[in-house]
RNA sequence: GCGAGCGUGGCCAAGUGGUUAAGGCAGUGGAUUGUGAUUCCACCAUUCGCGGGUUCAAGUCCCGUCGUUCGCCCCA
C-alpha cells in the first residue's frame, strides 16, 4: 500500500469512543479536586537512568520493555514506561518533598512499553494515577485506595475485586525471600522453566505464576504475612482496619506480588474477570524507599496507576457512549441565506449554544435528513424567503413543531431557547 | 522475545484454483429545484494488507513481510 498506518501497538481513539475518554477524565478531575489532589504533568521522556534506578534494573520493564534512544547529544533518554518515577523526580527537583510536607498528586497520560500487543495491552497506553508523598500514616494508604474504588464506582463499574497484600519492608522481604527459596529449591525440577529461571532472579514472582504445576507447589509455600516484623504487621493491620471502616471490600492474597522493585508494605490490585489475560485495572501500593533511592530525602509514599484502555474495555461493554450534545442544526440554501446562516451560527455560538452549520449546499431534503441524524434538538432553516425577510424557521426536531420568527427575535430570546432546549433534552433522555 | 489464528471497499461480509470479485449497512446523485419516513433508480474494489513464487489460470496454494487477534513472559 502507499499509505501509512499507526505503528504497531498504537491506535487512534476516534469519535464514538473518545467520549468515554472525556467522561472518565472529567470524572477523575472532579474526584481528585474533591480530595485536594493536584494535577502534575511531567515529561513524556526522562533520563534512562531514572527508570533504571527507580523501577529496578532486574525488572522486565527495565530489562526488555523500554523505548530507549540516544538524542543528538548522545544522552540516553527513555519514553516513560510508568509515571511514579517521573513524579518523584519532579517532586525532588522542585523541593516539594521535605520532612513534614505532604503532597497529594494525580496525573493522566500516555506511557510506553515495548511489548507484544494483546487485549488490554499496547505499546502506547494511558494511565491515570494518584500519588501521596510524605505520609507514613496507614490512613494515607486507605485514602488513596478509596479514591480508586470511588472513581470506579462513579463510572458505574461493579464486579471488580480488590486483592490486598503486604510485602513488608526491605528486611521483611529479604527474610521471606530466603524462606521461599529454601522451600522451592527442592522442587526446582518440577517448576515451569520460567519459574526455574526466576528462582535465582526474582523468586517472589514465582508466587503468581500461571503454570498449574507451579501453582500447586506454591500453594504450600510459606506466606509473606508470616514473615512481617511486628511493626510491618501492625501497619498492615491498620491499613486493613481503615479500609474496613470505609466499607471497602478486599481479599487478602499473600501471593500478590508486584513487578516493580520499589513497592514496600501495602500492595493491591483491582481486577476484573472480564478482561482476558490482563485482569488488572488498577495496581499500586506503598513505596517508602523510592524518593530516597532517587536522591531525595527519605520520604514515605503511596500511590496507584489505572490502565485506561482496560477501563474503556469494561465501560464500553456496560453502557452507550454519552452522545454529543448539539442544540441547533442550521440548514440553508441560496447565496444570501447561506451568508446569513454563517453569521447566525457564530452569533448563537457566542451565546453558548452548540450549533452545526450544514455546508453542503444540497437540497433542503438532504439537509433535513442530516439535521435529524445530527442529534440536534432543533433545526434552523434559512432559504430565499427568510433571507429576504431577515427571518428564520425554528423547527423542534423532537416534536416537529415549527415556527417563524425574525433573526433578531431568535437571538434576543436566549432564555426562552435555553429552557425549550432543556425540555427537548429531557424528552430525548426519557425516550432513550 | 516465544506460540497459534486472522487480513476482501468507510463498516459487516460471500467466495476454498477457472473470472464479469456476491450481498448488506453507510455515503453520493436523482425520482421529489423548500422539510426528517417509506419506496424506486443510478453511482460507489481494473482488485482481495504488501512483495515475491508455483500454475495455462491465484482473493483462493507456497515463501517472506507488515498489521491485527488470542495466549506465554510481564504489567495498568
Amino acid at each position: 500500500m502507499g499509505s501509512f498506518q499507526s505503528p504497531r501497538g498504537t491506535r487512534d481513539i476516534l469519535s464514538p469512543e473518545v467520549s468515554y475518554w472525556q467522561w472518565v477524565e472529567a470524572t477523575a478531575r472532579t474526584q481528585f479536586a474533591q480530595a485536594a489532589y493536584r494535577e502534575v504533568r511531567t515529561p513524556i521522556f526522562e533520563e534512562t537512568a531514572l527508570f533504571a534506578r527507580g523501577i529496578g534494573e532486574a525488572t522486565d520493564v527495565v530489562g526488555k520493555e523500554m523505548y530507549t534512544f540516544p538524542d543528538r547529544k548522545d544522552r540516553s533518554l527513555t519514553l516513560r514506561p510508568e509515571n511514579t518515577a517521573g513524579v518523584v523526580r519532579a517532586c525532588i527537583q522542585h523541593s516539594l518533598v521535605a520532612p513534614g510536607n505532604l503532597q497529594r498528586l494525580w496525573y493522566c497520560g500516555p506511557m510506553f512499553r515495548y511489548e507484544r500487543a494483546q487485549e488490554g495491552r499496547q505499546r502506547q497506553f494511558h494511565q491515570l494515577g494518584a500519588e501521596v508523598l510524605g505520609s507514613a500514616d496507614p490512613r494515607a494508604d486507605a485514602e488513596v485506595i478509596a479514591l480508586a474504588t470511588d472513581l470506579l464506582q462513579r463510572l458505574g463499574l461493579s464486579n471488580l475485586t480488590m486483592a490486598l497484600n503486604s510485602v513488608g519492608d526491605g528486611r521483611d522481604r529479604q527474610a521471606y525471600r530466603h524462606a521461599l527459596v529454601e522451600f522451592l529449591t527442592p522442587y526446582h525440577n518440577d517448576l515451569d522453566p520460567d519459574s526455574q529461571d526466576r528462582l535465582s532472579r526474582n523468586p517472589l514472582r514465582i508466587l503468581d505464576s500461571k503454570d498449574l504445576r507451579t501453582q500447586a507447589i506454591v500453594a504450600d509455600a510459606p506466606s509473606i504475612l508470616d514473615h512481617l516484623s511486628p511493626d510491618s504487621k501492625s501497619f498492615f493491620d491498620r491499613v486493613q482496619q481503615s479500609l474496613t471502616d470505609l466499607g471497602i471490600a478486599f481479599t487478602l492474597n499473600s501471593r500478590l506480588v508486584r513487578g516493580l522493585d520499589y513497592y514496600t508494605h501495602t500492595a493491591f490490585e483491582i481486577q476484573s474477570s472480564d478482561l482476558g489475560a490482563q485482569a488488572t485495572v488498577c495496581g499500586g501500593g506503598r513505596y517508602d524507599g523510592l524518593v530516597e533511592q532517587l536522591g531525595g530525602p527519605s520520604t514515605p509514599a503511596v500511590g496507584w496507576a489505572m490502565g485506561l484502555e482496560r477501563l474503556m474495555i469494561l465501560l464500553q461493554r456496560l453502557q452507550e457512549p454519552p452522545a454529543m450534545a448539539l442544540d441547533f442544526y442550521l440548514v440553508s440554501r441560496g447565496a444570501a441565506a447561506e451568508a446569513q446562516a454563517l453569521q447566525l451560527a457564530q452569533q448563537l455560538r457566542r451565546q453558548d449554544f452548540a450549533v452545526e452549520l450544514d455546508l453542503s449546499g444540497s437540497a433542503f431534503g438532504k439537509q433535513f435528513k442530516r439535521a435529524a441524524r445530527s442529534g440536534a434538538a432543533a433545526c434552523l432553516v434559512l432559504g430565499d424567503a427568510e433571507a429576504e425577510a431577515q427571518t428564520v424557521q425554528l423547527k423542534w426536531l423532537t416534536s416537529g413543531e415549527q415556527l417563524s420568527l425574525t433573526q433578531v427575535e431568535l437571538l434576543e430570546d436566549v432564555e426562552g431557547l435555553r429552557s425549550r432546549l432543556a425540555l427537548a433534552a429531557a424528552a430525548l433522555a426519557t425516550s432513550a
Side-chain angles (χ1 to χ4, degrees), chain A residues 102-335:
Chain A
L102 187 74
Q103 287 294 331
R104 288 192 244 248
L105 301 168
W106 71 277
Y107 61 82
C108 181
M111 308 293 158
F112 306 84
R113 289 183 201 173
Y114 192 92
E115 296 182 281
R116 195 73 163 264
Q118 67 190 69
E119 171 150 61
R121 200 181 68 185
Q122 293 166 235
R123 291 187 172 182
Q124 174 173 340
F125 62 105
H126 298 78
Q127 286 187 336
L128 177 72
E131 314 285 1
V132 177
L133 288 86
S135 175
D137 194 312
R139 289 177 302 165
D141 302 52
E143 177 183 287
V144 132
I145 292 173
L147 236 27
T149 55
D150 259 22
L151 176 61
L152 294 166
Q153 200 173 335
R154 285 186 194 202
L155 295 173
L157 292 173
S158 48
N159 268 333
L160 299 173
T161 55
M162 179 165 72
L164 185 72
N165 193 21
S166 172
V167 294
D169 61 18
R171 215 173 309 160
D172 300 336
R173 229 184 326 175
Q174 203 58 41
Y176 176 62
R177 185 188 308 252
H178 266 98
L180 186 63
V181 171
E182 205 164 294
F183 171 84
L184 288 173
T185 302
Y187 298 102
H188 182 277
N189 293 333
D190 300 321
L191 296 171
D192 62 282
D194 283 321
S195 293
Q196 290 180 6
D197 188 42
R198 284 183 288 208
L199 193 53
S200 54
R201 226 180 60 247
N202 195 350
L204 298 207
R205 294 233 57 106
I206 299 175
L207 293 172
D208 58 9
S209 168
K210 285 179 188 167
D211 184 84
L212 289 176
R213 282 183 68 190
T214 300
Q215 279 180 9
I217 294 166
V218 153
D220 299 319
S223 162
I224 185 147
L225 296 177
D226 299 326
H227 289 256
L228 297 181
S229 69
D231 283 352
S232 296
K233 176 100 179 55
S234 119
F235 181 86
F236 189 42
D237 286 343
R238 283 183 289 157
V239 171
Q240 293 177 62
Q241 186 57 52
S242 299
L243 289 173
T244 306
D245 291 345
L246 289 170
I248 295 171
F250 58 87
T251 315
L252 280 187
N253 179 355
S254 65
R255 294 205 288 276
L256 174 69
V257 179
R258 318 235 48 247
L260 277 34
D261 280 359
Y262 51 63
Y263 286 109
T264 56
H265 298 287
T266 316
F268 77 97
E269 284 186 4
I270 299 173
Q271 300 171 329
S272 164
S273 50
D274 299 330
L275 279 175
Q278 263 60 45
T280 302
V281 180
C282 176
R286 188 160 269 283
Y287 50 96
D288 288 345
L290 183 61
V291 179
E292 198 171 6
Q293 176 87 24
L294 292 178
S298 167
T299 306
V302 228
W304 49 255
M306 207 175 269
L308 294 186
E309 279 76 6
R310 294 181 189 177
L311 202 56
M312 299 307 154
I313 292 171
L314 297 175
L315 288 175
Q316 289 181 48
R317 261 174 226 167
L318 274 176
Q319 49 220 34
E320 292 294 307
M324 183 166 88
L326 194 61
D327 297 319
F328 298 111
Y329 190 95
L330 228 161
V331 158
S332 61
R333 191 147 162 83

Side-chain angles (χ1 to χ4, degrees), chain A residues 38-42 86-106 131-135 291 296-300:
Chain A
R38 296 168 204 242
E39 184 178 359
V40 251
R41 303 193 186 192
T42 63
V87 168
V88 168
R89 192 228 80 232
C91 288
I92 296 169
Q93 183 174 333
H94 300 99
S95 304
L96 301 179
V97 281
N101 196 358
L102 187 74
Q103 287 294 331
R104 288 192 244 248
L105 301 168
W106 71 277
E131 314 285 1
V132 177
L133 288 86
S135 175
V291 179
S298 167
T299 306

Side-chain angles (χ1 to χ4, degrees), chain A residues 380-426:
Chain A
L380 292 169
V381 191
L382 270 151
D384 293 335
E386 289 79 10
E388 178 84 20
Q390 301 278 306
T391 60
V392 63
Q393 304 283 333
L394 169 61
K395 177 170 183 176
W396 296 97
L397 289 167
T398 39
S399 63
E401 175 198 352
Q402 181 169 330
L403 62 151
S404 177
L405 65 172
T406 69
Q407 292 171 30
V408 173
E409 286 168 340
L410 178 79
L411 289 166
E412 281 177 348
D413 188 25
V414 171
E415 289 318 310
L417 284 176
R418 234 180 270 293
S419 53
R420 281 299 303 265
L421 286 165
L423 281 176

